[in-house]
Amino acid sequence: MEPLVTNDLANNFDAVREQLIDNFVKIQQGINDGLVDQATIDDFQKNMDQLLIDSKIRDANIQEIVNILSDYDVPIQIINGKVVETEEGE
């Protein structure tokens, strides 16, 4: 953001008025930029929340598949988050 006019205000009213208007325009732009940034952050958080939900659903589905296959004596299980083939009887 461009620096605001602070201690160097002009001596006549019209110039001071212009400087103050310019300051308010810069402040408004800074606020708008902040709102855009917040919207970007909010959108990113929403996407991350959805990814977490999707990940939990995927993990539950994989666990259910492993359970079903185990019921049919398919030698697999989940170890350290990975589906692995196991030896008979493990």
Side-chain angles (χ1 to χ4, degrees):
M1 186 169 98
E2 290 183 52
L4 301 176
V5 176
T6 55
N7 295 335
D8 299 327
L9 290 174
N11 289 329
N12 68 56
F13 178 76
D14 289 334
V16 169
R17 181 179 175 279
E18 290 300 318
Q19 288 174 328
L20 291 176
I21 289 172
D22 187 56
N23 280 353
F24 285 119
V25 168
K26 290 174 185 175
I27 292 168
Q28 183 64 52
Q29 185 61 47
I31 291 170
N32 290 342
D33 290 348
L35 292 175
V36 169
D37 291 342
Q38 186 62 48
T40 301
I41 291 168
D42 291 345
D43 189 45
F44 179 77
Q45 183 63 49
K46 180 180 164 187
N47 290 337
M48 291 302 295
D49 291 345
Q50 188 59 50
L51 285 173
L52 182 60
I53 291 167
D54 293 347
S55 177
K56 288 179 181 180
I57 291 170
R58 185 201 69 230
D59 290 348
N61 288 340
I62 290 172
Q63 182 63 55
E64 189 60 31
I65 290 168
V66 168
N67 292 344
I68 291 169
L69 291 174
S70 294
D71 289 345
Y72 289 96
D73 295 326
V74 176
I76 64 170
Q77 61 182 341
I78 297 177
I79 299 176
N80 294 329
K82 298 179 181 177
V83 178
V84 296
E85 187 175 356
T86 61
E87 297 294 324
E88 289 288 333
E90 283 189 42

